[in-house]
Coordinates of all heavy atoms in Angstrom, one line a residue:
E292 N 79.1 83.0 -53.5 CA 79.4 82.3 -54.7 C 80.7 81.5 -54.6 O 80.8 80.5 -55.3 CB 79.4 83.2 -55.9 CG 78.1 83.8 -56.3 CD 78.2 84.9 -57.4 OE1 79.4 85.1 -57.8 OE2 77.2 85.4 -57.8
N293 N 81.6 82.0 -53.9 CA 83.0 81.4 -53.9 C 83.3 80.7 -52.6 O 84.5 80.3 -52.5 CB 84.0 82.5 -54.2 CG 83.9 83.1 -55.5 OD1 84.3 82.6 -56.5 ND2 83.3 84.3 -55.6
T294 N 82.4 80.6 -51.7 CA 82.7 79.9 -50.5 C 81.6 78.9 -50.2 O 80.4 79.2 -50.2 CB 82.7 80.9 -49.3 OG1 83.6 81.9 -49.6 CG2 83.1 80.3 -48.0
E295 N 82.1 77.6 -50.0 CA 81.1 76.6 -49.7 C 81.0 76.4 -48.2 O 82.0 76.5 -47.4 CB 81.6 75.2 -50.3 CG 81.6 75.3 -51.8 CD 82.0 74.0 -52.4 OE1 82.3 73.0 -51.6 OE2 82.0 73.8 -53.6
G296 N 79.9 76.0 -47.7 CA 79.6 75.8 -46.3 C 79.6 77.0 -45.4 O 79.7 76.9 -44.2
V297 N 79.4 78.2 -46.0 CA 79.4 79.4 -45.2 C 77.9 79.7 -44.9 O 77.0 79.5 -45.7 CB 80.0 80.6 -46.0 CG1 79.8 81.9 -45.2 CG2 81.4 80.3 -46.3
D298 N 77.7 80.0 -43.6 CA 76.4 80.4 -43.1 C 76.0 81.7 -43.7 O 76.5 82.8 -43.4 CB 76.3 80.4 -41.6 CG 74.9 80.6 -41.1 OD1 74.0 80.9 -41.9 OD2 74.7 80.5 -39.9
A299 N 75.0 81.7 -44.7 CA 74.6 83.0 -45.3 C 74.1 84.0 -44.3 O 74.3 85.2 -44.5 CB 73.6 82.7 -46.4
D300 N 73.3 83.5 -43.3 CA 72.8 84.4 -42.3 C 73.9 85.1 -41.5 O 73.8 86.3 -41.2 CB 71.8 83.7 -41.4 CG 70.6 83.2 -42.1 OD1 70.2 83.9 -43.2 OD2 69.9 82.3 -41.6
R301 N 74.9 84.3 -41.2 CA 76.0 84.9 -40.4 C 76.8 85.9 -41.2 O 77.1 87.0 -40.7 CB 77.0 83.8 -40.0 CG 78.2 84.2 -39.2 CD 77.8 84.9 -37.9 NE 78.9 85.5 -37.2 CZ 79.6 84.8 -36.3 NH1 79.3 83.5 -36.1 NH2 80.6 85.3 -35.7
V302 N 77.0 85.6 -42.5 CA 77.7 86.6 -43.3 C 76.8 87.9 -43.4 O 77.4 89.0 -43.4 CB 77.9 86.0 -44.7 CG1 78.5 87.1 -45.7 CG2 78.9 84.9 -44.7
A303 N 75.5 87.7 -43.6 CA 74.6 88.9 -43.7 C 74.7 89.7 -42.4 O 74.7 91.0 -42.5 CB 73.2 88.4 -44.0
Q304 N 74.7 89.0 -41.3 CA 74.8 89.8 -40.0 C 76.1 90.6 -39.9 O 76.1 91.7 -39.4 CB 74.7 88.8 -38.8 CG 73.3 88.1 -38.7 CD 73.3 87.0 -37.6 OE1 74.3 86.8 -37.0 NE2 72.2 86.4 -37.5
E305 N 77.2 89.9 -40.3 CA 78.5 90.6 -40.2 C 78.5 91.9 -41.1 O 79.0 92.9 -40.7 CB 79.6 89.7 -40.7 CG 79.9 88.5 -39.7 CD 80.4 89.1 -38.3 OE1 81.0 90.1 -38.3 OE2 80.1 88.4 -37.3
L306 N 78.0 91.7 -42.3 CA 77.9 92.9 -43.2 C 77.0 93.9 -42.7 O 77.2 95.1 -42.8 CB 77.5 92.4 -44.6 CG 78.4 91.5 -45.4 CD1 77.8 91.0 -46.7 CD2 79.7 92.3 -45.7
A307 N 75.9 93.5 -42.0 CA 75.0 94.5 -41.4 C 75.6 95.2 -40.3 O 75.4 96.5 -40.1 CB 73.7 93.8 -40.9
L308 N 76.5 94.5 -39.5 CA 77.2 95.1 -38.4 C 78.2 96.2 -39.0 O 78.4 97.2 -38.4 CB 78.0 94.1 -37.6 CG 78.7 94.5 -36.4 CD1 77.8 95.2 -35.4 CD2 79.5 93.4 -35.7
I309 N 78.8 95.9 -40.1 CA 79.7 96.8 -40.7 C 79.0 98.1 -41.1 O 79.4 99.2 -40.9 CB 80.4 96.2 -41.9 CG1 81.4 95.1 -41.5 CG2 81.2 97.3 -42.7 CD1 82.0 94.3 -42.6
A310 N 77.8 97.9 -41.7 CA 77.0 99.0 -42.1 C 76.6 99.9 -40.9 O 76.6 101.1 -41.0 CB 75.7 98.5 -42.8
V311 N 76.3 99.2 -39.7 CA 75.9 100.0 -38.5 C 77.1 100.8 -38.0 O 77.0 102.0 -37.6 CB 75.4 99.1 -37.4 CG1 75.3 99.8 -36.1 CG2 74.1 98.5 -37.8
K312 N 78.3 100.2 -38.1 CA 79.5 100.8 -37.6 C 79.9 102.0 -38.5 O 80.7 102.9 -38.0 CB 80.7 99.8 -37.5 CG 80.5 98.8 -36.4 CD 81.7 97.9 -36.3 CE 81.6 96.9 -35.2 NZ 82.7 96.0 -35.1
T313 N 79.5 102.0 -39.7 CA 79.9 103.1 -40.6 C 78.7 104.2 -40.7 O 78.9 105.2 -41.4 CB 80.2 102.6 -42.0 OG1 79.1 101.9 -42.5 CG2 81.4 101.7 -41.9
D314 N 77.7 104.0 -39.9 CA 76.6 104.9 -39.9 C 76.9 106.2 -39.1 O 77.4 106.1 -38.0 CB 75.3 104.3 -39.3 CG 74.1 105.2 -39.4 OD1 74.2 106.2 -40.2 OD2 73.1 105.0 -38.7
V315 N 76.8 107.4 -39.7 CA 77.3 108.6 -39.1 C 76.1 109.5 -38.7 O 76.2 110.7 -38.4 CB 78.2 109.4 -40.0 CG1 79.5 108.7 -40.2 CG2 77.6 109.7 -41.3
T316 N 74.9 108.9 -38.7 CA 73.7 109.7 -38.5 C 73.7 110.3 -37.1 O 73.4 111.5 -36.9 CB 72.4 108.8 -38.6 OG1 72.4 108.3 -39.9 CG2 71.2 109.7 -38.3
E317 N 74.1 109.6 -36.1 CA 74.2 110.1 -34.7 C 75.2 111.2 -34.6 O 74.9 112.2 -33.9 CB 74.5 108.9 -33.7 CG 73.4 107.9 -33.5 CD 73.7 106.9 -32.5 OE1 74.7 107.1 -31.7 OE2 73.0 105.9 -32.3
E318 N 76.3 111.0 -35.2 CA 77.4 112.1 -35.1 C 76.9 113.4 -35.7 O 77.1 114.5 -35.2 CB 78.7 111.6 -35.8 CG 79.5 110.6 -35.1 CD 78.8 109.2 -35.0 OE1 78.0 108.9 -36.0 OE2 79.1 108.4 -34.1
I319 N 76.2 113.3 -36.9 CA 75.7 114.5 -37.5 C 74.6 115.1 -36.7 O 74.5 116.4 -36.6 CB 75.2 114.1 -38.9 CG1 76.4 113.8 -39.9 CG2 74.4 115.3 -39.5 CD1 76.0 113.3 -41.2
D320 N 73.7 114.3 -36.1 CA 72.7 114.8 -35.2 C 73.3 115.6 -34.0 O 72.8 116.6 -33.6 CB 71.7 113.7 -34.8 CG 70.9 113.2 -35.9 OD1 70.7 113.9 -36.9 OD2 70.3 112.1 -35.7
R321 N 74.3 115.0 -33.4 CA 74.9 115.6 -32.3 C 75.7 116.9 -32.7 O 75.7 117.9 -31.9 CB 75.9 114.6 -31.6 CG 75.1 113.6 -30.7 CD 76.1 112.9 -29.8 NE 76.9 111.9 -30.5 CZ 76.6 110.6 -30.6 NH1 75.5 110.1 -30.1 NH2 77.4 109.8 -31.3
L322 N 76.3 116.9 -33.8 CA 77.0 118.1 -34.3 C 75.9 119.2 -34.4 O 76.2 120.4 -34.0 CB 77.7 117.9 -35.6 CG 79.0 117.2 -35.5 CD1 79.5 116.7 -36.9 CD2 80.1 118.1 -34.8
S323 N 74.8 118.9 -35.0 CA 73.7 119.9 -35.2 C 73.2 120.4 -33.8 O 73.0 121.6 -33.7 CB 72.6 119.3 -36.0 OG 73.0 118.9 -37.3
A324 N 73.1 119.5 -32.9 CA 72.7 119.9 -31.5 C 73.7 120.8 -30.9 O 73.4 121.8 -30.2 CB 72.4 118.7 -30.7
H325 N 75.0 120.5 -31.1 CA 76.1 121.3 -30.5 C 76.1 122.7 -31.1 O 76.4 123.7 -30.4 CB 77.4 120.6 -30.7 CG 77.6 119.3 -30.0 ND1 76.8 119.0 -28.9 CD2 78.4 118.3 -30.2 CE1 77.2 117.8 -28.4 NE2 78.1 117.3 -29.2
V326 N 75.8 122.8 -32.4 CA 75.7 124.1 -33.0 C 74.6 125.0 -32.4 O 74.8 126.1 -32.1 CB 75.4 123.9 -34.5 CG1 75.1 125.3 -35.2 CG2 76.7 123.4 -35.2
D327 N 73.5 124.4 -32.1 CA 72.4 125.1 -31.5 C 72.8 125.5 -30.1 O 72.5 126.7 -29.7 CB 71.1 124.2 -31.4 CG 70.5 124.0 -32.8 OD1 70.8 124.8 -33.7 OD2 69.8 123.0 -33.0
A328 N 73.4 124.6 -29.3 CA 73.8 125.0 -28.0 C 74.9 126.1 -28.0 O 74.8 127.0 -27.1 CB 74.4 123.7 -27.3
A329 N 75.8 126.0 -28.9 CA 76.8 127.1 -29.0 C 76.2 128.4 -29.3 O 76.6 129.5 -28.8 CB 77.9 126.7 -30.0
R330 N 75.3 128.4 -30.3 CA 74.6 129.7 -30.6 C 73.9 130.3 -29.4 O 74.0 131.5 -29.2 CB 73.6 129.4 -31.7 CG 74.2 129.3 -33.1 CD 73.1 128.8 -34.1 NE 73.6 128.8 -35.5 CZ 73.1 128.1 -36.4 NH1 71.9 127.4 -36.2 NH2 73.6 128.1 -37.7
D331 N 73.3 129.4 -28.6 CA 72.6 129.9 -27.4 C 73.6 130.5 -26.4 O 73.4 131.6 -25.8 CB 71.8 128.8 -26.8 CG 71.1 129.2 -25.5 OD1 70.2 130.1 -25.6 OD2 71.4 128.7 -24.4
L332 N 74.7 129.8 -26.2 CA 75.7 130.3 -25.3 C 76.3 131.7 -25.7 O 76.5 132.6 -24.9 CB 76.8 129.3 -25.1 CG 76.5 128.0 -24.3 CD1 77.6 127.0 -24.3 CD2 76.2 128.4 -22.8
I333 N 76.7 131.7 -27.0 CA 77.3 133.0 -27.5 C 76.4 134.2 -27.4 O 76.8 135.3 -27.2 CB 77.7 132.8 -29.0 CG1 78.9 131.7 -29.1 CG2 78.2 134.1 -29.6 CD1 79.3 131.4 -30.5
G334 N 75.1 133.9 -27.5 CA 74.1 135.0 -27.3 C 73.8 135.4 -25.9 O 73.1 136.4 -25.7
Q335 N 74.3 134.7 -24.9 CA 74.0 135.0 -23.5 C 74.9 136.1 -23.0 O 76.0 136.3 -23.5 CB 74.2 133.7 -22.7 CG 73.1 132.7 -22.9 CD 73.4 131.5 -22.0 OE1 74.1 131.5 -21.0 NE2 72.7 130.4 -22.4
D336 N 74.4 136.8 -22.0 CA 75.2 137.7 -21.2 C 75.8 137.0 -20.0 O 75.2 136.0 -19.5 CB 74.4 138.9 -20.7 CG 73.8 139.8 -21.8 OD1 74.5 139.9 -22.8 OD2 72.7 140.3 -21.6
G337 N 77.0 137.4 -19.6 CA 77.7 136.7 -18.5 C 78.7 135.7 -19.0 O 78.8 135.4 -20.2
P338 N 79.4 135.1 -18.0 CA 80.5 134.2 -18.3 C 80.0 132.9 -18.9 O 79.1 132.3 -18.3 CB 81.2 134.0 -17.0 CG 80.7 135.1 -16.1 CD 79.3 135.5 -16.6
V339 N 80.5 132.5 -20.1 CA 80.1 131.3 -20.7 C 81.4 130.5 -21.2 O 81.2 129.5 -21.9 CB 79.2 131.5 -21.9 CG1 77.8 132.1 -21.4 CG2 79.8 132.4 -23.0
G340 N 82.5 131.0 -20.9 CA 83.8 130.4 -21.5 C 84.0 129.0 -21.1 O 84.3 128.2 -22.0
R341 N 83.7 128.6 -19.9 CA 83.9 127.2 -19.5 C 83.0 126.3 -20.2 O 83.3 125.2 -20.6 CB 83.8 127.1 -18.0 CG 84.9 127.7 -17.2 CD 84.7 127.5 -15.7 NE 85.8 128.1 -14.9 CZ 85.8 128.1 -13.6 NH1 84.9 127.4 -12.9 NH2 86.8 128.6 -12.9
K342 N 81.7 126.7 -20.3 CA 80.7 125.9 -21.0 C 81.1 125.7 -22.5 O 81.0 124.6 -23.1 CB 79.3 126.5 -20.9 CG 78.8 126.4 -19.5 CD 77.4 127.1 -19.4 CE 76.9 127.0 -18.0 NZ 75.5 127.7 -17.9
L343 N 81.6 126.8 -23.1 CA 82.0 126.7 -24.5 C 83.2 125.9 -24.7 O 83.3 125.1 -25.6 CB 82.3 128.1 -25.0 CG 81.1 129.0 -25.5 CD1 81.5 130.4 -25.8 CD2 80.3 128.4 -26.7
D344 N 84.1 125.9 -23.7 CA 85.3 125.1 -23.8 C 84.9 123.6 -23.7 O 85.5 122.8 -24.5 CB 86.2 125.5 -22.6 CG 87.6 124.9 -22.8 OD1 88.0 124.7 -23.9 OD2 88.3 124.8 -21.8
F345 N 84.0 123.3 -22.9 CA 83.6 121.9 -22.8 C 82.9 121.5 -24.1 O 83.1 120.4 -24.7 CB 82.6 121.7 -21.7 CG 81.9 120.3 -21.6 CD1 82.6 119.2 -21.2 CD2 80.6 120.2 -22.0 CE1 82.0 118.0 -21.2 CE2 80.0 118.9 -22.0 CZ 80.7 117.8 -21.6
L346 N 82.1 122.4 -24.7 CA 81.3 122.1 -25.9 C 82.3 121.9 -27.1 O 82.0 121.1 -28.0 CB 80.4 123.3 -26.2 CG 79.2 123.0 -27.2 CD1 78.4 121.8 -26.8 CD2 78.4 124.2 -27.3
M347 N 83.4 122.6 -27.1 CA 84.4 122.4 -28.1 C 85.0 121.0 -28.1 O 85.3 120.4 -29.1 CB 85.5 123.5 -28.0 CG 85.2 124.9 -28.3 SD 84.4 125.1 -30.0 CE 82.7 125.3 -29.6
Q348 N 85.1 120.5 -26.9 CA 85.6 119.1 -26.8 C 84.6 118.1 -27.4 O 85.0 117.1 -28.1 CB 85.8 118.7 -25.3 CG 86.9 119.6 -24.6 CD 87.0 119.3 -23.2 OE1 86.9 118.1 -22.8 NE2 87.3 120.3 -22.3
E349 N 83.3 118.4 -27.2 CA 82.3 117.5 -27.7 C 82.2 117.7 -29.3 O 82.1 116.7 -30.0 CB 80.9 117.9 -27.1 CG 80.8 117.7 -25.7 CD 81.1 116.2 -25.3 OE1 80.4 115.4 -25.9 OE2 81.9 116.0 -24.4
F350 N 82.4 118.9 -29.8 CA 82.5 119.1 -31.2 C 83.6 118.3 -31.8 O 83.4 117.6 -32.8 CB 82.7 120.6 -31.5 CG 81.5 121.4 -31.8 CD1 81.2 122.5 -30.9 CD2 80.7 121.2 -32.9 CE1 80.0 123.2 -31.1 CE2 79.6 122.0 -33.1 CZ 79.3 123.0 -32.2
N351 N 84.7 118.4 -31.2 CA 85.9 117.7 -31.7 C 85.7 116.2 -31.7 O 86.2 115.4 -32.6 CB 87.2 118.1 -30.9 CG 88.4 117.7 -31.6 OD1 88.7 118.1 -32.7 ND2 89.3 117.0 -30.9
R352 N 85.1 115.7 -30.6 CA 84.9 114.2 -30.5 C 84.0 113.7 -31.7 O 84.3 112.7 -32.3 CB 84.2 113.9 -29.2 CG 84.0 112.4 -28.9 CD 83.4 112.1 -27.6 NE 84.4 112.5 -26.5 CZ 84.2 113.5 -25.7 NH1 83.2 114.3 -25.8 NH2 85.1 113.7 -24.7
E353 N 82.9 114.4 -31.9 CA 82.0 114.0 -33.0 C 82.7 114.1 -34.4 O 82.5 113.2 -35.2 CB 80.7 114.9 -33.0 CG 80.0 114.8 -31.7 CD 79.6 113.4 -31.3 OE1 79.4 112.5 -32.1 OE2 79.4 113.2 -30.1

Side-chain angles (χ1 to χ4, degrees):
E292 289 173 359
N293 295 282
T294 305
E295 295 182 359
V297 175
D298 185 349
D300 291 338
R301 179 59 184 272
V302 174
Q304 289 174 3
E305 291 296 329
L306 291 174
L308 183 60
I309 293 173
V311 170
K312 288 183 178 180
T313 57
D314 185 15
V315 294
T316 302
E317 290 186 9
E318 286 71 26
I319 291 173
D320 288 344
R321 281 194 287 266
L322 282 169
S323 297
H325 295 338
V326 168
D327 292 338
R330 282 173 175 160
D331 180 63
L332 286 173
I333 292 173
Q335 291 181 15
D336 293 329
V339 295
R341 289 183 180 179
K342 293 180 180 179
L343 280 173
D344 196 21
F345 173 77
L346 197 55
M347 290 304 104
Q348 298 177 37
E349 296 302 307
F350 266 115
N351 196 54
R352 182 178 294 111
E353 302 305 333

